[in-house]
Amino acid sequence: MDKVGDLLRTPYDWTDEVARIIAPTLLVFADADSISITHAAEFFGLLGGGNKDGNFDGTSTTPMRLAVLPGMTHYSVHAAPQLATVLAEFLATD
């Protein structure tokens, strides 16, 4: 536990690395996550998501996706019933 505590107290900034990701990416967070929704949205923005309107027919969307699962925490999001649907839809995207 001490090593985990030390790690969590160590400042880190992945901004440059995240901004270079070009592979389609799905970010999944809980609405009561240890990571704030604001931070999740900033992370998504670094990937190019959420920066413009996707157009009425979806033709202007990016391959990046953000899912915020309701009623979940950082510790329960993996068991969210919606998670399988979100993952399946993301993996089925061309």
Side-chain angles (χ1 to χ4, degrees):
M1 294 303 284
D2 289 338
K3 288 184 180 184
V4 171
D6 291 343
L7 176 65
L8 293 175
R9 284 186 292 277
T10 303
Y12 56 90
D13 181 359
W14 297 338
T15 304
D16 293 336
E17 292 85 352
V18 170
R20 289 194 299 262
I21 295 172
I22 57 172
T25 302
L26 169 64
L27 301 174
V28 179
F29 296 92
D31 66 355
D33 210 314
S34 60
I35 298 166
S36 72
I37 298 300
T38 302
H39 187 71
E42 289 172 3
F43 201 142
F44 184 54
L46 288 171
L47 293 171
N51 293 324
K52 63 179 181 175
D53 182 83
N55 210 350
F56 71 96
D57 60 358
T59 57
S60 225
T61 61
T62 72
M64 308 310 188
R65 299 289 179 261
L66 171 63
V68 179
L69 303 184
M72 295 291 126
T73 70
H74 185 76
Y75 307 99
S76 65
V77 71
H78 69 280
Q82 311 92 316
L83 183 57
T85 302
V86 168
L87 289 172
E89 289 174 1
F90 176 72
L91 294 172
T93 305
D94 292 338

Coordinates of all heavy atoms in Angstrom, one line a residue:
M1 N 0.8 -1.2 0.0 CA 0.0 0.0 0.0 C 0.9 1.3 0.0 O 0.5 2.3 -0.6 CB -0.9 0.0 1.2 CG -2.0 -1.1 1.2 SD -3.0 -1.1 -0.3 CE -4.1 0.3 0.1
D2 N 2.0 1.2 0.7 CA 2.9 2.4 0.7 C 3.4 2.7 -0.7 O 3.4 3.9 -1.1 CB 4.1 2.1 1.6 CG 3.7 2.1 3.1 OD1 2.7 2.6 3.4 OD2 4.5 1.5 3.9
K3 N 3.7 1.7 -1.5 CA 4.2 1.9 -2.9 C 3.1 2.5 -3.7 O 3.3 3.4 -4.5 CB 4.7 0.7 -3.5 CG 6.0 0.2 -2.9 CD 6.6 -1.0 -3.6 CE 7.9 -1.4 -3.0 NZ 8.5 -2.5 -3.7
V4 N 1.8 2.1 -3.6 CA 0.7 2.6 -4.3 C 0.5 4.1 -3.9 O 0.3 5.0 -4.7 CB -0.6 1.8 -4.1 CG1 -1.8 2.5 -4.7 CG2 -0.4 0.4 -4.7
G5 N 0.6 4.4 -2.6 CA 0.4 5.7 -2.1 C 1.5 6.6 -2.7 O 1.2 7.8 -3.1
D6 N 2.8 6.1 -2.7 CA 3.9 6.9 -3.3 C 3.6 7.2 -4.7 O 3.8 8.3 -5.2 CB 5.2 6.2 -3.1 CG 5.7 6.1 -1.7 OD1 5.2 6.9 -0.8 OD2 6.5 5.2 -1.4
L7 N 3.1 6.2 -5.5 CA 2.8 6.4 -6.9 C 1.7 7.5 -7.1 O 1.9 8.3 -7.9 CB 2.4 5.1 -7.5 CG 2.0 5.2 -9.0 CD1 3.2 5.5 -9.9 CD2 1.4 3.8 -9.4
L8 N 0.7 7.4 -6.3 CA -0.4 8.3 -6.4 C 0.0 9.7 -6.1 O -0.7 10.7 -6.5 CB -1.6 7.8 -5.6 CG -2.3 6.6 -6.1 CD1 -3.4 6.1 -5.2 CD2 -2.8 6.7 -7.5
R9 N 1.0 9.9 -5.2 CA 1.4 11.3 -4.9 C 2.4 11.8 -5.8 O 2.8 13.0 -5.7 CB 2.0 11.2 -3.4 CG 0.9 11.1 -2.4 CD 1.5 11.3 -1.0 NE 2.4 10.1 -0.6 CZ 1.9 9.0 -0.1 NH1 0.6 8.8 0.1 NH2 2.7 8.0 0.2
T10 N 2.9 11.0 -6.8 CA 3.9 11.5 -7.8 C 3.2 12.1 -8.9 O 2.3 11.6 -9.6 CB 4.7 10.3 -8.3 OG1 5.3 9.6 -7.2 CG2 5.7 10.7 -9.3
P11 N 3.5 13.4 -9.2 CA 2.9 14.1 -10.3 C 3.2 13.4 -11.6 O 4.3 13.0 -11.8 CB 3.4 15.5 -10.3 CG 4.1 15.6 -9.0 CD 4.4 14.2 -8.5
Y12 N 2.2 13.3 -12.5 CA 2.5 12.8 -13.8 C 1.6 13.6 -14.8 O 0.5 14.1 -14.5 CB 2.2 11.3 -13.9 CG 0.8 10.9 -13.5 CD1 -0.2 10.8 -14.4 CD2 0.6 10.6 -12.2 CE1 -1.5 10.4 -14.0 CE2 -0.7 10.2 -11.8 CZ -1.7 10.1 -12.7 OH -3.0 9.7 -12.3
D13 N 2.0 13.7 -16.0 CA 1.3 14.4 -17.1 C 1.5 13.6 -18.4 O 2.6 13.6 -18.9 CB 1.9 15.8 -17.2 CG 1.1 16.6 -18.2 OD1 0.2 16.1 -18.9 OD2 1.5 17.8 -18.4
W14 N 0.4 13.0 -18.8 CA 0.4 12.2 -20.1 C -0.1 13.0 -21.3 O -0.4 12.5 -22.3 CB -0.4 11.0 -19.9 CG 0.0 10.0 -18.9 CD1 1.3 9.9 -18.3 CD2 -0.7 9.0 -18.2 NE1 1.3 8.9 -17.4 CE2 0.1 8.4 -17.3 CE3 -2.1 8.7 -18.3 CZ2 -0.4 7.3 -16.5 CZ3 -2.5 7.6 -17.5 CH2 -1.7 7.0 -16.6
T15 N -0.2 14.3 -21.1 CA -0.8 15.2 -22.2 C -0.2 14.9 -23.5 O -0.9 14.7 -24.5 CB -0.7 16.7 -21.8 OG1 -1.3 16.8 -20.5 CG2 -1.4 17.5 -22.8
D16 N 1.1 15.0 -23.6 CA 1.8 14.9 -24.9 C 1.6 13.5 -25.5 O 1.4 13.3 -26.7 CB 3.3 15.1 -24.8 CG 3.6 16.6 -24.4 OD1 2.7 17.5 -24.8 OD2 4.7 16.9 -23.9
E17 N 1.7 12.4 -24.7 CA 1.5 11.1 -25.1 C 0.1 10.8 -25.6 O -0.1 10.2 -26.7 CB 1.9 10.1 -24.0 CG 3.4 10.0 -23.7 CD 3.8 11.1 -22.6 OE1 2.9 12.0 -22.3 OE2 4.9 11.0 -22.2
V18 N -0.9 11.3 -24.9 CA -2.3 11.1 -25.2 C -2.6 11.8 -26.5 O -3.2 11.2 -27.4 CB -3.2 11.6 -24.1 CG1 -4.6 11.6 -24.6 CG2 -3.1 10.7 -22.9
A19 N -2.1 13.0 -26.7 CA -2.4 13.7 -27.9 C -1.8 13.1 -29.2 O -2.3 13.3 -30.3 CB -1.8 15.2 -27.8
R20 N -0.9 12.2 -29.0 CA -0.3 11.5 -30.2 C -1.0 10.2 -30.6 O -0.7 9.6 -31.6 CB 1.2 11.2 -29.9 CG 2.1 12.5 -29.9 CD 3.5 12.1 -30.0 NE 4.0 11.4 -28.9 CZ 4.6 11.8 -27.8 NH1 4.8 13.1 -27.7 NH2 5.0 11.1 -26.8
I21 N -2.0 9.8 -29.8 CA -2.7 8.5 -30.1 C -3.5 8.7 -31.3 O -4.3 9.7 -31.3 CB -3.5 8.1 -28.9 CG1 -2.6 7.7 -27.7 CG2 -4.4 6.9 -29.3 CD1 -3.4 7.4 -26.4
I22 N -3.4 7.9 -32.3 CA -4.2 8.0 -33.5 C -5.2 6.8 -33.7 O -6.1 6.9 -34.5 CB -3.4 8.2 -34.8 CG1 -2.4 7.0 -34.9 CG2 -2.6 9.5 -34.7 CD1 -1.6 7.0 -36.2
A23 N -4.9 5.7 -33.0 CA -5.8 4.5 -33.1 C -7.1 4.8 -32.5 O -7.2 5.6 -31.5 CB -5.1 3.4 -32.3
P24 N -8.2 4.3 -33.0 CA -9.5 4.5 -32.4 C -9.5 4.1 -31.0 O -8.9 3.0 -30.6 CB -10.4 3.6 -33.2 CG -9.8 3.5 -34.6 CD -8.3 3.5 -34.3
T25 N -10.0 4.9 -30.1 CA -9.8 4.7 -28.7 C -11.2 5.0 -28.0 O -11.9 5.9 -28.3 CB -8.8 5.7 -28.1 OG1 -7.5 5.5 -28.8 CG2 -8.6 5.6 -26.6
L26 N -11.5 4.1 -27.1 CA -12.7 4.2 -26.2 C -12.2 4.4 -24.8 O -11.5 3.6 -24.2 CB -13.5 2.9 -26.3 CG -14.7 2.8 -25.3 CD1 -15.7 3.9 -25.5 CD2 -15.3 1.4 -25.4
L27 N -12.7 5.6 -24.2 CA -12.4 5.9 -22.8 C -13.7 5.6 -22.1 O -14.8 6.0 -22.5 CB -12.1 7.4 -22.7 CG -10.9 7.9 -23.4 CD1 -10.7 9.4 -23.3 CD2 -9.6 7.2 -23.0
V28 N -13.6 4.8 -21.0 CA -14.8 4.4 -20.2 C -14.5 4.9 -18.8 O -13.5 4.5 -18.2 CB -15.1 2.9 -20.2 CG1 -16.3 2.6 -19.4 CG2 -15.3 2.4 -21.7
F29 N -15.5 5.7 -18.3 CA -15.4 6.2 -16.9 C -16.7 6.0 -16.2 O -17.7 5.8 -16.9 CB -15.0 7.7 -16.9 CG -13.7 8.0 -17.5 CD1 -13.5 8.3 -18.8 CD2 -12.5 8.0 -16.6 CE1 -12.3 8.6 -19.3 CE2 -11.3 8.2 -17.2 CZ -11.1 8.5 -18.5
A30 N -16.7 6.0 -14.9 CA -17.9 6.0 -14.1 C -18.3 7.4 -13.7 O -17.4 8.3 -13.7 CB -17.7 5.2 -12.9
D31 N -19.6 7.7 -13.5 CA -20.0 9.0 -13.1 C -19.6 9.4 -11.7 O -19.7 10.5 -11.3 CB -21.4 9.3 -13.4 CG -22.4 8.5 -12.6 OD1 -22.0 7.6 -11.9 OD2 -23.6 8.8 -12.8
A32 N -19.2 8.4 -10.9 CA -18.6 8.6 -9.6 C -17.2 8.0 -9.5 O -16.9 7.3 -8.6 CB -19.6 8.0 -8.5
D33 N -16.5 8.3 -10.5 CA -15.1 7.7 -10.7 C -14.1 8.5 -9.8 O -14.4 9.6 -9.4 CB -14.7 7.8 -12.1 CG -13.7 6.7 -12.5 OD1 -12.8 6.4 -11.8 OD2 -13.9 6.1 -13.6
S34 N -13.0 7.9 -9.6 CA -11.9 8.6 -8.9 C -11.3 9.6 -9.8 O -10.6 10.6 -9.4 CB -10.8 7.6 -8.4 OG -10.3 6.9 -9.4
I35 N -11.5 9.5 -11.1 CA -11.1 10.5 -12.1 C -12.3 11.4 -12.4 O -13.4 10.9 -12.7 CB -10.6 9.7 -13.4 CG1 -9.4 8.9 -13.1 CG2 -10.3 10.7 -14.5 CD1 -9.1 7.8 -14.1
S36 N -12.1 12.6 -12.3 CA -13.2 13.6 -12.5 C -13.8 13.5 -13.9 O -13.0 13.3 -14.8 CB -12.9 15.0 -12.1 OG -12.0 15.5 -13.0
I37 N -15.0 13.8 -14.1 CA -15.6 13.9 -15.4 C -14.9 15.0 -16.2 O -14.7 14.9 -17.4 CB -17.2 14.1 -15.3 CG1 -17.8 13.0 -14.6 CG2 -17.8 14.4 -16.7 CD1 -17.7 11.6 -15.2
T38 N -14.6 16.1 -15.5 CA -13.9 17.2 -16.2 C -12.5 16.6 -16.8 O -12.2 16.9 -18.0 CB -13.6 18.3 -15.2 OG1 -14.8 18.8 -14.7 CG2 -12.8 19.5 -15.9
H39 N -11.8 15.9 -16.0 CA -10.5 15.3 -16.5 C -10.8 14.3 -17.6 O -10.0 14.3 -18.6 CB -9.8 14.7 -15.4 CG -8.4 14.2 -15.7 ND1 -7.4 15.1 -16.0 CD2 -7.9 13.0 -16.0 CE1 -6.3 14.4 -16.3 NE2 -6.6 13.2 -16.3
A40 N -11.8 13.5 -17.5 CA -12.2 12.6 -18.6 C -12.5 13.3 -19.9 O -12.0 12.9 -21.0 CB -13.3 11.7 -18.2
A41 N -13.2 14.4 -19.8 CA -13.6 15.2 -21.0 C -12.3 15.8 -21.6 O -12.1 15.9 -22.8 CB -14.6 16.2 -20.6
E42 N -11.4 16.3 -20.7 CA -10.1 16.9 -21.2 C -9.3 15.8 -21.9 O -8.7 16.1 -23.0 CB -9.3 17.5 -20.0 CG -9.9 18.7 -19.5 CD -9.2 19.2 -18.2 OE1 -8.2 18.6 -17.8 OE2 -9.7 20.2 -17.6
F43 N -9.2 14.7 -21.4 CA -8.5 13.5 -22.0 C -9.1 13.2 -23.3 O -8.4 13.1 -24.3 CB -8.7 12.3 -21.0 CG -7.7 11.2 -21.1 CD1 -7.2 10.6 -20.0 CD2 -7.2 10.8 -22.4 CE1 -6.3 9.6 -20.1 CE2 -6.3 9.8 -22.5 CZ -5.8 9.1 -21.3
F44 N -10.5 13.2 -23.4 CA -11.2 12.9 -24.7 C -10.9 14.0 -25.7 O -10.6 13.7 -26.9 CB -12.7 12.8 -24.4 CG -13.5 12.5 -25.5 CD1 -13.3 11.4 -26.3 CD2 -14.6 13.3 -25.9 CE1 -14.1 11.0 -27.4 CE2 -15.4 13.0 -26.9 CZ -15.2 11.8 -27.7
G45 N -10.8 15.2 -25.2 CA -10.5 16.4 -26.1 C -9.1 16.3 -26.7 O -8.8 16.6 -27.8
L46 N -8.1 15.8 -25.9 CA -6.8 15.6 -26.4 C -6.7 14.6 -27.5 O -5.9 14.6 -28.4 CB -5.9 15.1 -25.2 CG -5.5 16.1 -24.2 CD1 -4.8 15.4 -23.0 CD2 -4.6 17.2 -24.8
L47 N -7.7 13.6 -27.5 CA -7.7 12.6 -28.6 C -8.4 13.2 -29.8 O -8.6 12.5 -30.8 CB -8.5 11.4 -28.1 CG -7.8 10.6 -27.0 CD1 -8.7 9.5 -26.4 CD2 -6.5 10.0 -27.5
G48 N -9.0 14.4 -29.7 CA -9.7 15.0 -30.8 C -11.2 14.8 -30.7 O -11.9 15.2 -31.6
G49 N -11.7 14.2 -29.7 CA -13.1 14.0 -29.5 C -13.8 15.2 -28.9 O -13.1 16.0 -28.1
G50 N -15.0 15.4 -29.2 CA -15.8 16.5 -28.6 C -15.4 17.9 -28.9 O -15.9 18.8 -28.3
N51 N -14.6 18.1 -29.9 CA -14.1 19.4 -30.3 C -15.0 20.1 -31.4 O -14.7 21.2 -31.7 CB -12.7 19.3 -30.7 CG -11.8 19.0 -29.6 OD1 -12.0 19.4 -28.4 ND2 -10.7 18.2 -29.9
K52 N -15.9 19.3 -32.0 CA -16.8 19.9 -33.0 C -18.1 19.1 -33.0 O -18.1 18.0 -32.6 CB -16.1 20.0 -34.3 CG -15.8 18.6 -34.9 CD -15.1 18.7 -36.3 CE -14.8 17.3 -36.8 NZ -14.3 17.4 -38.1
D53 N -19.1 19.7 -33.7 CA -20.3 19.0 -33.9 C -20.1 17.8 -34.8 O -19.4 17.9 -35.8 CB -21.3 20.0 -34.5 CG -22.7 19.3 -34.7 OD1 -23.5 19.3 -33.8 OD2 -22.9 18.8 -35.8
G54 N -20.7 16.7 -34.5 CA -20.5 15.5 -35.3 C -21.4 15.4 -36.6 O -21.3 14.5 -37.3
N55 N -22.2 16.5 -36.8 CA -23.0 16.6 -38.0 C -24.3 15.8 -37.7 O -24.3 14.8 -37.0 CB -22.4 16.1 -39.3 CG -22.9 16.9 -40.5 OD1 -23.9 17.6 -40.4 ND2 -22.2 16.7 -41.6
F56 N -25.4 16.2 -38.4 CA -26.7 15.5 -38.1 C -26.7 14.1 -38.4 O -27.4 13.3 -37.9 CB -27.8 16.3 -38.9 CG -27.8 16.0 -40.3 CD1 -28.5 15.1 -40.9 CD2 -27.0 16.8 -41.2 CE1 -28.5 14.9 -42.3 CE2 -26.9 16.6 -42.5 CZ -27.7 15.6 -43.1
D57 N -25.8 13.6 -39.3 CA -25.8 12.2 -39.7 C -24.6 11.5 -39.2 O -24.3 10.3 -39.6 CB -25.9 12.1 -41.2 CG -24.7 12.8 -42.0 OD1 -23.9 13.4 -41.3 OD2 -24.7 12.7 -43.2
G58 N -23.8 12.1 -38.3 CA -22.6 11.5 -37.8 C -21.4 11.4 -38.6 O -20.4 10.8 -38.3
T59 N -21.4 12.1 -39.8 CA -20.3 12.0 -40.7 C -19.1 12.8 -40.3 O -18.0 12.7 -40.8 CB -20.7 12.6 -42.1 OG1 -21.2 13.9 -42.0 CG2 -21.7 11.6 -42.7
S60 N -19.2 13.6 -39.2 CA -18.1 14.5 -38.8 C -17.6 14.0 -37.4 O -16.9 14.8 -36.7 CB -18.6 15.9 -38.7 OG -17.6 16.8 -39.3
T61 N -17.8 12.8 -37.0 CA -17.3 12.3 -35.8 C -15.9 11.8 -35.9 O -15.4 11.5 -37.0 CB -18.2 11.2 -35.2 OG1 -18.2 10.1 -36.1 CG2 -19.7 11.6 -35.0
T62 N -15.3 11.6 -34.8 CA -13.9 11.0 -34.8 C -14.0 9.6 -34.4 O -15.1 9.1 -33.9 CB -13.0 11.7 -33.7 OG1 -13.4 11.3 -32.4 CG2 -13.0 13.2 -33.9
P63 N -13.0 8.8 -34.6 CA -13.0 7.4 -34.1 C -12.8 7.2 -32.6 O -12.8 6.1 -32.1 CB -11.9 6.7 -34.9 CG -10.9 7.8 -35.1 CD -11.8 9.1 -35.3
M64 N -12.7 8.4 -32.0 CA -12.5 8.3 -30.5 C -13.9 8.4 -29.8 O -14.8 9.1 -30.3 CB -11.7 9.5 -30.1 CG -10.4 9.7 -30.8 SD -9.4 8.1 -30.9 CE -7.9 8.7 -31.5
R65 N -14.0 7.7 -28.7 CA -15.3 7.6 -28.0 C -15.1 7.8 -26.5 O -14.1 7.4 -26.0 CB -16.0 6.2 -28.2 CG -16.3 5.9 -29.7 CD -17.5 6.8 -30.2 NE -17.8 6.6 -31.6 CZ -17.4 7.3 -32.6 NH1 -16.6 8.3 -32.4 NH2 -17.7 7.0 -33.8
L66 N -16.1 8.4 -25.9 CA -16.1 8.6 -24.5 C -17.4 8.1 -23.9 O -18.5 8.4 -24.4 CB -16.0 10.1 -24.1 CG -16.2 10.5 -22.7 CD1 -15.1 9.9 -21.8 CD2 -16.2 12.0 -22.5
A67 N -17.3 7.2 -22.9 CA -18.5 6.7 -22.3 C -18.4 7.0 -20.8 O -17.4 6.7 -20.2 CB -18.6 5.1 -22.5
V68 N -19.4 7.5 -20.2 CA -19.5 7.8 -18.8 C -20.7 6.9 -18.3 O -21.9 7.2 -18.7 CB -19.7 9.3 -18.5 CG1 -19.8 9.4 -17.0 CG2 -18.5 10.1 -19.0
L69 N -20.4 5.9 -17.6 CA -21.5 5.0 -17.2 C -22.1 5.5 -15.9 O -21.5 5.7 -14.9 CB -20.9 3.6 -17.0 CG -20.3 3.0 -18.3 CD1 -19.8 1.6 -18.1 CD2 -21.2 3.2 -19.5
P70 N -23.5 5.6 -15.9 CA -24.2 6.2 -14.7 C -24.3 5.2 -13.5 O -24.4 4.0 -13.7 CB -25.6 6.5 -15.3 CG -25.7 5.5 -16.4 CD -24.4 5.3 -17.0
G71 N -24.2 5.8 -12.4 CA -24.4 5.0 -11.1 C -23.3 4.1 -10.8 O -23.4 3.2 -10.0
M72 N -22.1 4.3 -11.4 CA -21.0 3.4 -11.2 C -19.9 4.2 -10.5 O -19.8 5.4 -10.5 CB -20.5 2.9 -12.5 CG -21.4 2.0 -13.2 SD -21.6 0.4 -12.4 CE -23.4 0.3 -12.2
T73 N -18.9 3.5 -9.9 CA -17.7 4.0 -9.3 C -16.5 3.5 -10.0 O -16.6 2.6 -10.9 CB -17.7 3.7 -7.8 OG1 -17.4 2.3 -7.7 CG2 -18.9 4.0 -7.1
H74 N -15.4 4.0 -9.6 CA -14.1 3.5 -10.2 C -14.0 2.0 -9.9 O -13.3 1.2 -10.7 CB -12.9 4.2 -9.5 CG -11.6 3.9 -10.1 ND1 -11.2 4.3 -11.3 CD2 -10.6 3.1 -9.6 CE1 -10.0 3.9 -11.6 NE2 -9.6 3.1 -10.5
Y75 N -14.6 1.5 -8.9 CA -14.5 0.1 -8.4 C -15.6 -0.8 -9.0 O -15.4 -2.0 -8.9 CB -14.4 0.0 -6.9 CG -13.4 1.0 -6.4 CD1 -13.7 2.2 -5.9 CD2 -12.0 0.6 -6.4 CE1 -12.8 3.1 -5.4 CE2 -11.1 1.5 -6.0 CZ -11.4 2.7 -5.5 OH -10.5 3.6 -5.1
S76 N -16.6 -0.2 -9.5 CA -17.7 -1.1 -10.0 C -18.0 -1.0 -11.5 O -18.8 -1.7 -12.1 CB -19.0 -0.7 -9.3 OG -19.4 0.6 -9.5
V77 N -17.3 0.0 -12.1 CA -17.6 0.2 -13.6 C -17.3 -1.0 -14.4 O -18.0 -1.2 -15.4 CB -16.8 1.5 -14.1 CG1 -15.3 1.1 -14.2 CG2 -17.3 2.0 -15.4
H78 N -16.4 -1.8 -14.0 CA -16.1 -3.1 -14.8 C -17.3 -4.0 -14.8 O -17.4 -4.9 -15.7 CB -14.9 -3.8 -14.3 CG -15.1 -4.4 -13.0 ND1 -15.0 -3.6 -11.8 CD2 -15.4 -5.6 -12.6 CE1 -15.3 -4.4 -10.8 NE2 -15.5 -5.7 -11.2
A79 N -18.2 -3.9 -13.9 CA -19.4 -4.8 -13.8 C -20.7 -4.1 -14.3 O -21.7 -4.7 -14.1 CB -19.5 -5.3 -12.3
A80 N -20.6 -2.9 -14.8 CA -21.7 -2.2 -15.3 C -22.4 -3.0 -16.4 O -21.8 -3.4 -17.3 CB -21.4 -0.8 -15.7
P81 N -23.7 -3.2 -16.3 CA -24.4 -3.9 -17.4 C -24.3 -3.2 -18.8 O -24.2 -3.9 -19.8 CB -25.9 -3.8 -16.9 CG -25.9 -3.5 -15.5 CD -24.6 -2.8 -15.2
Q82 N -24.1 -1.9 -18.8 CA -24.0 -1.1 -20.0 C -22.6 -1.3 -20.7 O -22.4 -1.0 -21.8 CB -24.2 0.4 -19.8 CG -25.4 0.8 -19.0 CD -25.1 0.9 -17.5 OE1 -24.4 0.1 -16.9 NE2 -25.6 1.9 -16.9
L83 N -21.6 -1.8 -19.9 CA -20.3 -1.8 -20.4 C -20.2 -2.8 -21.6 O -19.5 -2.4 -22.6 CB -19.3 -2.3 -19.3 CG -17.8 -2.3 -19.7 CD1 -17.3 -1.0 -20.2 CD2 -17.0 -2.8 -18.5
A84 N -20.8 -3.9 -21.6 CA -20.7 -4.8 -22.7 C -21.3 -4.2 -24.0 O -20.7 -4.4 -25.1 CB -21.4 -6.1 -22.4
T85 N -22.4 -3.5 -23.8 CA -23.0 -2.9 -25.0 C -22.1 -1.8 -25.6 O -21.9 -1.7 -26.8 CB -24.4 -2.2 -24.6 OG1 -25.2 -3.3 -24.1 CG2 -25.0 -1.6 -25.8
V86 N -21.5 -1.0 -24.7 CA -20.6 0.1 -25.1 C -19.4 -0.5 -25.9 O -19.0 0.0 -26.9 CB -20.2 1.0 -23.9 CG1 -19.0 1.9 -24.3 CG2 -21.4 1.8 -23.4
L87 N -18.9 -1.5 -25.3 CA -17.7 -2.2 -25.9 C -18.0 -2.8 -27.3 O -17.3 -2.7 -28.2 CB -17.1 -3.2 -25.0 CG -16.4 -2.7 -23.7 CD1 -16.0 -3.9 -22.8 CD2 -15.1 -1.9 -24.1
A88 N -19.2 -3.5 -27.3 CA -19.6 -4.2 -28.6 C -19.8 -3.1 -29.7 O -19.4 -3.3 -30.8 CB -20.8 -5.0 -28.3
E89 N -20.5 -2.0 -29.3 CA -20.7 -1.0 -30.3 C -19.4 -0.4 -30.8 O -19.2 -0.1 -32.0 CB -21.6 0.1 -29.8 CG -23.1 -0.4 -29.6 CD -24.0 0.6 -28.9 OE1 -23.5 1.7 -28.6 OE2 -25.1 0.3 -28.8
F90 N -18.5 -0.1 -29.9 CA -17.2 0.4 -30.3 C -16.4 -0.5 -31.2 O -15.9 -0.1 -32.2 CB -16.3 0.8 -29.0 CG -15.0 1.3 -29.4 CD1 -14.8 2.5 -29.9 CD2 -13.8 0.4 -29.1 CE1 -13.5 3.0 -30.2 CE2 -12.6 0.9 -29.4 CZ -12.4 2.2 -30.0
L91 N -16.4 -1.8 -30.8 CA -15.6 -2.8 -31.6 C -16.2 -3.0 -33.0 O -15.5 -3.4 -33.9 CB -15.5 -4.1 -30.8 CG -14.6 -4.0 -29.5 CD1 -14.7 -5.2 -28.7 CD2 -13.2 -3.6 -29.9
A92 N -17.5 -2.8 -33.1 CA -18.2 -3.0 -34.4 C -18.1 -1.8 -35.3 O -18.4 -1.9 -36.5 CB -19.7 -3.3 -34.1
T93 N -17.6 -0.7 -34.8 CA -17.4 0.5 -35.6 C -16.3 0.3 -36.6 O -15.2 -0.2 -36.3 CB -17.1 1.7 -34.7 OG1 -18.1 1.8 -33.8 CG2 -17.0 3.0 -35.6
D94 N -16.6 0.7 -37.9 CA -15.5 0.6 -38.9 C -14.4 1.6 -38.6 O -14.5 2.7 -38.4 CB -16.1 0.9 -40.3 CG -17.1 -0.2 -40.7 OD1 -17.0 -1.3 -40.2 OD2 -17.9 0.1 -41.6

